Amino acid sequence: MVFRKPPDGGWGWVIVVVSFFTQFLCYGSPLAVGVLYLEWLDAFGEGKGKTAWVGSLANGIGLLASPVCSICVSSFGARPVAIFSGFMVAGGLMMSSFAPNIYFLYVSYGIVVGLGCGLLYTATVTITCQYFDKRRGLALGLISTGSSVGLFIYAALQRELIELYGLDGCLLIVGALSLNILACGSLMRPLESSSSPPPEKMCVDKVPDQYFVYHEKEKTVEENISILEKGYIDEKCVNNVPDCKQETILSKSVLSSINTNEKDTYKKKVVEQTNFCKQLAKRKWQLYLTYWKETMVLFKNKVFSALFVAILLFDIGGFPPSLLMEDVARSANISEDDYYMPLISIIGIMTTVGKLILGILADFKWVNTLYLYVTTLLMTGVALFAIPFAKSYLTLAMLSGILGFLTGNWSIFPYVTTKTVGIEKLTHAYGILMFFAGLGNSLGPPIVGWFYDWTQEYDTAFYFSGFCVLLGGFLLLLAALPCWNACTNQSSKLPPNTYSYKVASNA
């Protein structure tokens, strides 16, 4: 498929609007799952660690399955994937309203909704990149705020719906709202040239000359013909035993009537197809080996290795507050009358602010994006250590705002990855990092919940979370320091595909 030049406007702005609302509708409930988490604790009576798996799967499974999501969008296009994913998200939410136990929610809410969100995220990002080139950063920044706005609104919306219609009614209504994704997805018109000819299918008649080695495979061809004849006769004998002898005689007469020229052509095509398949399998195997070789080269870069550890530890420690902050307030015996706004809503709106401000800072030439990212990690660790000392709504609200703002460092993470490995390796490296980010999202809340089940208080859990984030930040800082990264001066001795981060360079 041949795409036209990105228009950087026109219908592209419609794509931005519908992508914004798509992320708003699909990520609103999973990101604001902390409100539902309290209800599930009361409804099923399970431990906090076991119940936290529902929200962590919904937010982590899409990142873990990002390679599969990319293949689906590449194969079928953004619009069909978005429409199909809309059914997945809406159906998963509605199915969750009939959940008889927590294990049912693992599938309906955790896996079905999570996969739907992952597919929708990939579809919206892909179609937006196709429509924008010069303004791609602005377009991606606008659609990425959809999830944060969804977190802000859905936290209050789900709480109000639970009070009016109960947990089951809330999930049914939220699922019905998610059906609007179908309308948004239908507007994701693919950017392709209508006058471009369809791609030619691979044909055996167009196999290159280097595959014409039938003179060396004459024996193999004869064996193939014998196998084909035997298979044809055996199949007839099994299906119709009385006519077996008649079919055998008929097949022999037909084969004997083939002239020499036709048989040579048949032999040639069989050999061409056989050798083409062998060459294709060999090429795929070479691509597989090349992928793993390039992966090993990436991990030889000290900064990339530290970055993968940092993103894993950051999501293990930094994601749980967005899921568990409401339960933290309830555990601190804070009355609901003191609530001016749900804590999760504060996290959501401040995440939007953080994405915008940190993204703007990253565009300044005098700002080093790696040091900026490390700063956000260290500050997040300190804020997590402060949560056990917050005993009022005001202090928890302030910490929620700080954590939400710092979580906006997702907007500069692609900058850091690009500067670390280079633009040529960005797709490969970013896919690896997103996998580990999804792993951290999936493990973080259950680990914090298990700490609570073990100690019956959240203090130890958030000390552990803060330690994880601080450890990741210090490791990344250590890898980026000039004294530790002195090997960049010998970059000429490294393979040409290896990239080292020079901390002195501008972001």
Side-chain angles (χ1 to χ4, degrees):
M1 183 178 294
V2 179
F3 293 101
R4 297 196 301 266
K5 183 180 179 181
D8 280 298
W11 192 259
W13 294 118
V14 178
I15 298 295
V16 170
V17 173
V18 298
S19 297
F20 172 89
F21 280 105
T22 296
Q23 293 203 17
F24 170 84
L25 292 167
C26 75
Y27 276 105
S29 181
L31 290 178
V33 73
V35 176
L36 304 176
Y37 172 76
L38 297 177
E39 302 299 323
W40 288 329
L41 283 174
D42 298 335
F44 300 116
E46 300 287 353
K48 295 182 185 293
K50 185 180 291 187
T51 308
W53 271 111
V54 181
S56 63
L57 284 174
N59 287 278
I61 200 72
L63 292 174
L64 288 172
S66 55
V68 178
C69 298
S70 299
I71 292 173
C72 291
V73 175
S74 300
S75 302
F76 304 105
R79 179 159 59 183
V81 169
I83 294 174
F84 175 76
S85 303
F87 280 112
M88 287 187 67
V89 174
L93 289 169
M94 293 181 180
M95 288 169 56
S96 299
S97 66
F98 302 100
N101 51 55
I102 198 69
Y103 302 103
F104 188 91
L105 285 173
Y106 289 164
V107 178
S108 63
Y109 198 98
I111 297 178
V112 176
V113 176
L115 278 177
C117 291
L119 288 168
L120 282 168
Y121 177 80
T122 306
T124 54
V125 170
T126 301
I127 192 83
T128 303
C129 290
Q130 291 174 1
Y131 270 87
F132 288 89
D133 183 17
K134 297 179 181 178
R135 300 177 179 177
R136 184 175 296 168
L138 174 62
L140 291 174
L142 290 174
I143 68 171
S144 68
T145 58
S147 58
S148 301
V149 176
L151 169 59
F152 172 70
I153 294 179
Y154 268 74
L157 176 63
Q158 290 184 146
R159 172 173 290 181
E160 189 68 23
L161 290 175
I162 289 172
E163 292 180 358
L164 294 175
Y165 305 104
L167 176 61
D168 297 342
C170 170
L171 289 170
L172 283 173
I173 294 173
V174 171
L177 288 175
S178 299
L179 289 173
N180 288 286
I181 296 173
L182 306 181
C184 295
S186 64
L187 295 174
M188 294 181 182
R189 186 173 64 195
L191 181 67
E192 58 181 86
S193 177
S194 58
S195 60
S196 60
E200 296 184 359
K201 295 182 179 180
M202 186 62 64
C203 181
V204 177
D205 296 334
K206 296 183 179 181
V207 178
D209 293 337
Q210 58 264 32
Y211 299 142
F212 294 168
V213 289
Y214 64 94
H215 58 279
E216 299 178 0
K217 303 288 183 179
E218 202 68 39
K219 184 177 179 180
T220 304
V221 173
E222 295 297 339
E223 292 175 355
N224 289 337
I225 294 174
S226 300
I227 292 171
L228 291 173
E229 292 177 5
K230 187 176 183 302
Y232 174 78
I233 294 170
D234 291 344
E235 183 180 0
K236 289 294 183 180
C237 290
V238 171
N239 295 335
N240 196 353
V241 176
D243 298 334
C244 179
K245 294 183 179 179
Q246 182 179 355
E247 292 292 341
T248 303
I249 297 172
L250 178 61
S251 63
K252 288 182 178 179
S253 62
V254 171
L255 289 172
S256 61
S257 64
I258 300 177
N259 56 42
T260 306
N261 189 25
E262 291 176 342
K263 187 174 289 188
D264 290 342
T265 303
Y266 176 75
K267 292 178 183 179
K268 183 178 179 180
K269 288 187 175 182
V270 170
V271 175
E272 290 172 4
Q273 192 171 22
T274 302
N275 285 274
F276 175 75
C277 292
K278 290 181 179 179
Q279 294 292 334
L280 183 62
K282 184 177 180 181
R283 182 182 178 186
K284 292 294 184 182
W285 178 251
Q286 290 295 331
L287 291 175
Y288 178 79
L289 292 178
T290 301
Y291 175 86
W292 284 107
K293 287 179 181 178
E294 291 179 353
T295 302
M296 296 305 296
V297 170
L298 285 174
F299 279 99
K300 289 180 180 178
N301 187 330
K302 291 183 176 63
V303 178
F304 178 81
S305 298
L307 191 62
F308 118 80
V309 175
I311 191 65
L312 175 63
L313 294 177
F314 172 74
D315 279 278
I316 289 177
F319 177 66
S322 63
L323 175 62
L324 304 174
M325 192 61 80
E326 296 294 328
D327 192 48
V328 171
R330 187 168 71 170
S331 301
N333 297 320
I334 297 176
S335 174
E336 293 186 0
D337 297 334
D338 298 333
Y339 274 58
Y340 300 101
M341 182 185 298
L343 296 175
I344 299 179
S345 294
I346 297 175
I347 293 175
I349 195 63
M350 290 305 296
T351 300
T352 305
V353 175
K355 286 179 178 179
L356 294 175
I357 294 180
L358 293 174
I360 293 172
L361 287 175
D363 287 334
F364 287 107
K365 294 182 178 180
W366 51 269
V367 175
N368 187 297
T369 50
L370 180 61
Y371 287 157
L372 178 62
Y373 184 74
V374 169
T375 302
T376 61
L377 295 183
L378 299 179
M379 293 178 67
T380 300
V382 174
L384 289 170
F385 272 116
I387 289 179
F389 300 98
K391 302 300 181 182
S392 66
Y393 173 81
L394 180 60
T395 53
L396 282 176
M398 293 175 60
L399 289 174
S400 298
I402 293 172
L403 289 170
F405 179 86
L406 296 172
T407 305
N409 62 6
W410 276 99
S411 64
I412 64 173
F413 190 72
Y415 285 77
V416 176
T417 308
T418 303
K419 289 297 182 181
T420 302
V421 301
I423 190 64
E424 295 84 357
K425 297 289 183 181
L426 175 61
T427 303
H428 186 181
Y430 200 71
I432 295 173
L433 294 173
M434 287 302 99
F435 175 84
F436 285 103
L439 185 63
N441 274 349
S442 301
L443 295 177
I447 290 175
V448 172
W450 290 331
F451 268 109
Y452 184 92
D453 294 336
W454 178 38
T455 62
Q456 294 302 309
E457 43 87 17
Y458 275 115
D459 295 358
T460 306
F462 282 106
Y463 289 147
F464 170 80
S465 298
F467 173 77
C468 287
V469 178
L470 284 176
L471 178 62
F474 278 121
L475 287 176
L476 185 57
L477 178 62
L478 182 63
L481 288 176
C483 59
W484 179 256
N485 204 37
C487 60
T488 56
N489 297 328
Q490 302 175 357
S491 58
S492 58
K493 299 180 181 179
L494 296 175
N497 289 332
T498 304
Y499 296 86
S500 298
Y501 193 101
K502 296 182 179 180
V503 295
S505 61
N506 290 327

